[in-house]
Amino acid sequence: MEESSGNMRSSEPTAAMKKVREKTAKKRSKEEEEEEEEQIFNFKDKPAGKEEEDEDLSDSEESVFSGLEDSGSDSEEDEKESDDNDDDDDDDVTAVESKQPKQTEEEEEKEEVVGGVTEREEEEKKEDEYEHDSSDEEDIRNTVGNIPMEWYKDFPHIGYNLDGKKIFKPIRNKDELDDFLDKMENPDYWRTVHDKQTGSDIVLSDEQVELVNRLQKGQFGDVNFNEYQPSVEFFSSDVMIHPVTNRPADKRSFIPSLIEKEKVSKLVHAIKMGWIKPRRVEDDTRGRFYDLWAGEDSSILGRHKMHLPAPKIPLPGHQESYNPPPEYLFTEEELALWEQQDASDRKLPFVPVKFSSLRQVPAFSRFIHERFERCLDLYLCPRQRKMRVNVNPEDLIPKLPKPKDLQPFPTTQSLVYRGHSGLVRSISVSPSGQWLASGSDDGSVRFWEVCSSRCMKTVQVGGAVKSVAWNPNPSVCLLAVALESVVLILSPSLADRQVVQSSERLLSGQPEADTSDAAGPVIWSDTEGEELNQGIRLKIQHPKAVHQVAWHAKGDYLASVMPDHSSHLQVLIHQLSRRRSQNPFRKNKGLVQCVSFHPVRPYFFVATQRSVRIYNLVKQEMTKKLQANSKWISSMAVHPGGDHVICGSYDCRLSWFDLDLSTKPYKMLRHHKKAVRGAAYHRSYPLFASASDDGSVIVCHGTVYNDLMQNPLIVPVKVLRGHVITHDLGVLDVTFHPTQPWVFSSGADATIRLFT
Amino acid sequence: MGGLQKKKYERGSVTNYITRNKARKKLRLSLPDFRRLCILKGIYPHEPKHKKKVNKGSTAPRTFYLIKDIRFLLHEPIVGKFRDYKVFVRKLKKAYGKTEWSAVERLRENKPTYKLDHIIKERYPSFIDALRDIDDALCMCFLFSTFARTGKCHVQTIQLCRRLTVEWMNYVVAARALRKVFISIKGIYYQAEVMGQLITWLVPYQFSHDHPTDVDYRVMATFTELYTTLLGFINFRLYHSLNLLYPPKLDSKAECELKEENEEDYALNSECYLEKLSALSASLARMVSSAEEEEAQLDQFPDEMSTNLGKREQKEQEAQKKLFDGLKFFLNREVPRESLAFVIRCFGGEVSWDKSVCIGSTYEVTEETITHHIVDRPNASTQYINRYYIQPQWVYDCINAKIVLPVEDYFLGVTLPPHLSPFVEEKEGDYMPPEKVKIMALQRGEKPAQEQEDEEEEDEDEDEEEEEDDNDDEEEDEEEDEEESEEKNLKKMEKQRSQVKVTPGKMKVENPERLEQEEKAEEKRLAIMMMKKKEKYLYDKIMFGKKRKIREANKLTAKRKAHDDAEKANKKKTRK
């Protein structure tokens, strides 16, 4: 084998045909012969390749110049070769012998060619521009090659034949006339072709003309060639006993393959390592069931602490029936509404339909949708445990003592006091409980007898009365009236003489010398003439409009309120006996809404817009500030005990403060629908009332205990209605009778009502 | 005061929750795999109480899972299987790309599979837990078993679903566990009581589905995968609890009867047995002889009946179970065979159908002993004398009423009475359709009276016909009388039904009483004023709901009345 490979290397440049031949020769492996051959190769080392090429070329040329040269030789050779191969196995020697002479013949041929080739090579070397030229289609009649023939036009010859002799041009050159004559006279002119290479005219034979015709028609050149001869199928479905080729089996087919061995060992290794798993045994365990809960244990239950089982699908009602009762079917409006509604807003996800028999019921088109939505709910919907409120609504209502047990309190409207022509802003009851004073927007103050509802006296004060307040001291009979920027002190003389005299005495007290210094803008003045006759005794002129007046319990001090955002002069305290006024505050702490004195102790309550401040008048400091938790306080009342305060506000609330408890309201009462205008405590009974723009007065029971640990008990006991709402205003003021459980209310409908 | 200040969202409820994306990243699963895992393991998002806190101050909508749940998923062996599958798909793709067919084949043979047994056991530690959750499983399996065997899902799944549902129905028949049936426009609802659990499922009508495009069948298939496993184990256990063989075998006697020559006309050999089972006409084979078992049951009876109330219920149930005992039904070919056969067999009736409809028919139309022939067409061509020809609704109504109803209303061509839902239990104040009232009267055995009344009504109607022109006033009076009597009946019924009674306010004759009432009302109003804000809100809500309920009931009554009036008017017109 090595040797052969060595030979192959040496004969590299030889062509394929040669190789095959060599191989067959070498298989016989006789050294001498090999040597011989090698010699031969060495001998014509270089040209050998060329020769071979030539040989091949001649093959190809055959087709071009058909019939010009004997083409039989090569095919014969091939045949011989194949014969050789066949015989190879039988006896080597004879084959070698037969080979020998053939080679010599070949050599001869080759030598003939050599000369011409070399010449041509030289030419090519001279003229580099023809490098691309191949000598494939060389003419052997004229050896000049494929050159423009004009080059020879000045020479007498036209080239050289194979033997190197000059080929001479035909003696007479044809001119056009000759050509024409020839054309007219020569019957073979149409088949005459001028050969440029040899310069001679060739008359084509009949066969050649025929060939040309055939080629022009696109047929095969060979007449005898049958295009449609039956094809022989070598590789068909029929199994033949004999092989198609007689080629003996290769040696490798007898030797175990190395590559396969490698592959197998790889697989073995992979199986050993577990990379390839053996074919799985087919087991259909999916449909095989067993007693899964054979040994029940609750050990896994621990994880389920947070588990929320999915709620079941709600069960269908009558509407879903295929034949529902007629009342469950949609009317046209209901159907229209259903179609308009968004799918999520609909009460029913389907339209109830009635079918007269079961066979008419069609498939439900959204069935798969609904199942799918349920699936989505199960795995996508966040779950949350919601405690369902399962309470009886009656249990929610607080258990309160019955109002019946909390009597007495006013229950019915018993008297109506008519006479005013404007809305009645303020009312006040005399400490004796016999008289009622009211101030109205019509500019009058009226005095009524409580029991008979008779108007005893009317005082025209000449301006809308904002506030009236009866002096709480029973030993005097005085009324403070606030209108515009004046506070009037009236002595209505509706009491017995002693009382009137004592009040006169109070009014005629000595004015102090330095009043003007204490409160500059306030002017005290006595009245005269007509006003005096009407009972107006004193006029206290304020710098600004006065909104409210409030008496101290002893009846000597009087507080007036002049609400103003920008000034610290909002509250003034007047001492009646000394006709002295003073401004207790140096700073503006917000818009003052109302003020009140503590019934027993020297405290002063000032309600600003959102809070109530409590000042100690003796120490001259603020002791407490109550946060009302409402937007705008409208009114305030202090419990006769002094420890509790109620505040009404324009945002419908009434807040109860327990001063001992906190500065925050102990209770917020949202009883009214509209703004609370007034609030009042009863002086002796545990009652308080609130008046509102919704036209109602709500009376509540509010027991206050001495025990500090016990919170006040607040129970609404009665809603009193009667006032007519005019101009969006209902009840404006409310006040209690000092001794009886009666309540007075004044409203925007110009009436005052008494509820007993 | 010492110690590091903790950051804002690192303690408290935040630590209990994890968002979905984070959970997915933690598990290193793709979204479809995560979804599948959640479905199989029953993990669902939780809604935190304070969403904003958990969401770190953001109000963006996010789904939260309990972090404990996700941690629990970390150790799930199925997650590994998911990854194996992913690798398998990748390898397969590669082999395809390289056109290595042998490798493809080998890979396909080793396709990773997983079993859900341990998941079922884990999710439902006890059998009762599993039973409680079986509603959805049954609905889904019944739906899948009606799918065509092309596309959408694997044929094996459909076959398995069919097998399991047939097994379930056979169990219900054997245990006589069915309680209620309801024909709705969506399908047929069944309710069975198994081991004290009420199980409701919905079976679609037997039509081919037009599959919607906006439904993700992968999700449904995953659910079905879980549900088939669950249902299989439950069936196994239930069959064993009744001493039945599992997988179910027909009784040997019945099997002989059902053996016919032309078996192969119906189905392939492989499916023949399932078909026979699904025919539901034969009883199942037991592991021990049935006589022994019944004896044992008899022994148990006296012990169970301890309380009086229980006794009555027990009796009722027993009676319901034997509702159709001794009755022989024949189904015409246009009625839904499976549903009716199932229902009738559940209550002890015998049922058969035309031989060409389905395998498993037991007797012919010509059989003399047939008592009821169920027909769903306006008239039958050939009628046998000694049997009732009725519409299918009768069967369902009987079951819901728990008594054998009079057949007159259900004859062929007759307008059927409304089919009521048995799942609605009217509380006091709710609207009750008059048909329900009638049925309740029948249940209490007031049958004759009612009938008489009906007859009277008819008579009266006839009278009306005659005297219509003369005395309209009388007629009205009569009608009023009727109504009054009905009202009385109603009252009586209500009294009997519940001891708590609402007496309608007496006439305003006695002043003091009324005063008292007013006083009470006012007291209440005042007390309501004193309610706290929160309670007031709740109270208002409850009262609003109550009022709405009353309003709806009133609306229904009004509608019904209008309808009845219209009917009556129509009747008169036609008579004229």
Side-chain angles (χ1 to χ4, degrees), chain A residues 2 29 44 55 110 133 157 218 242 367-368 397 400 450 477 514 532 544 559 579 594 666 672 739 743:
Chain A
E2 285 177 358
S29 64
K44 23 178 178 172
E55 215 175 43
K110 285 163 201 165
D133 238 16
H157 62 277
H242 301 295
F367 195 94
I368 296 180
I397 299 172
L400 294 175
V450 168
C477 175
D514 53 343
L532 192 63
K544 279 170 283 184
R579 297 204 177 178
C594 52
Y666 157 66
H672 289 286
T739 49
V743 67

Side-chain angles (χ1 to χ4, degrees), chain B residues 266-277:
Chain B
Y266 293 111
L268 293 174
N269 230 0
S270 57
E271 293 180 349
C272 187
Y273 206 76
L274 183 64
E275 288 294 319
K276 273 191 211 167
L277 272 176

Side-chain angles (χ1 to χ4, degrees), chain B residues 491-544:
Chain B
K491 273 181 207 165
K492 223 187 276 172
M493 270 164 238
E494 274 185 359
K495 266 181 205 168
Q496 279 167 348
R497 201 155 53 96
S498 55
Q499 297 306 318
V500 184
K501 61 174 181 182
V502 173
T503 51
K506 288 270 163 58
M507 286 291 123
K508 307 144 194 168
V509 196
E510 290 147 313
N511 236 354
E513 269 186 31
R514 197 185 152 210
L515 275 178
E516 201 177 302
Q517 272 182 2
E518 269 175 16
E519 206 172 283
K520 263 186 186 169
E522 196 181 354
E523 246 174 59
K524 198 173 163 187
R525 231 178 301 136
L526 290 170
I528 286 169
M529 285 202 315
M530 279 307 284
M531 273 164 114
K532 278 171 197 160
K533 207 173 170 187
K534 238 182 190 173
E535 286 173 352
K536 183 87 184 293
Y537 175 72
L538 185 62
Y539 180 83
D540 283 348
K541 240 170 121 179
I542 294 173
M543 292 320 273
F544 177 76

Side-chain angles (χ1 to χ4, degrees), chain B residues 225-423:
Chain B
E225 201 178 352
L226 177 79
Y227 286 154
T228 47
T229 319
L230 172 65
L231 195 54
F233 285 118
I234 285 177
N235 277 349
F236 185 92
R237 176 91 176 210
L238 287 176
Y239 271 72
H240 280 259
S241 70
L242 282 188
N243 269 334
L244 294 169
L245 281 174
Y246 188 92
K249 288 269 179 313
L250 292 175
D251 216 354
S252 54
K253 194 173 70 184
E255 205 169 355
C256 286
E257 283 172 10
L258 281 180
K259 265 257 153 51
E260 289 167 33
E261 292 102 43
N262 53 356
E263 244 170 31
E264 271 139 42
D265 295 351
Y266 293 111
L268 293 174
N269 230 0
S270 57
E271 293 180 349
C272 187
Y273 206 76
L274 183 64
E275 288 294 319
K276 273 191 211 167
L277 272 176
S278 64
L280 295 167
S281 59
S283 51
L284 300 178
R286 288 177 188 265
M287 289 200 279
V288 281
S289 64
S290 49
E292 228 173 271
E293 200 198 353
E294 267 171 29
E295 212 172 278
Q297 267 188 359
L298 278 176
D299 281 348
Q300 284 173 357
F301 268 88
D303 303 332
E304 283 176 23
M305 292 190 217
S306 48
T307 57
N308 207 0
L309 216 148
K311 201 173 175 178
R312 192 197 284 166
E313 273 182 13
Q314 194 89 27
K315 247 185 192 171
E316 250 176 38
Q317 268 195 14
E318 283 305 311
Q320 200 199 356
K321 275 181 189 175
K322 289 172 184 165
L323 188 66
F324 293 147
D325 263 2
L327 299 186
K328 259 184 146 178
F329 291 85
F330 190 84
L331 309 181
N332 232 12
R333 56 168 58 249
E334 71 275 4
V335 300
R337 188 204 64 81
E338 192 173 283
S339 166
L340 275 169
F342 171 59
V343 159
I344 290 168
R345 291 262 300 132
C346 273
F347 293 95
E350 276 182 83
V351 64
S352 180
W353 45 85
D354 195 83
K355 216 192 281 173
S356 60
V357 173
C358 182
I359 200 170
S361 68
T362 44
Y363 43 84
E364 299 280 322
V365 205
T366 50
E367 178 91 18
E368 288 291 310
T369 50
I370 291 174
T371 55
H372 292 79
H373 192 130
I374 299 176
V375 185
D376 196 5
R377 36 176 100 168
N379 47 10
S381 49
T382 53
Q383 294 204 352
Y384 294 82
I385 295 170
N386 55 349
R387 63 176 83 157
Y388 291 118
Y389 283 82
I390 46 169
Q391 301 195 37
Q393 195 191 315
W394 180 79
V395 178
Y396 299 107
D397 280 351
C398 283
I399 290 162
N400 293 336
K402 299 179 187 176
I403 47 166
V404 180
L405 291 170
V407 288
E408 287 84 21
D409 294 342
Y410 300 89
F411 281 152
L412 302 190
V414 169
T415 311
L416 290 168
H419 180 63
L420 298 175
S421 167
F423 303 115

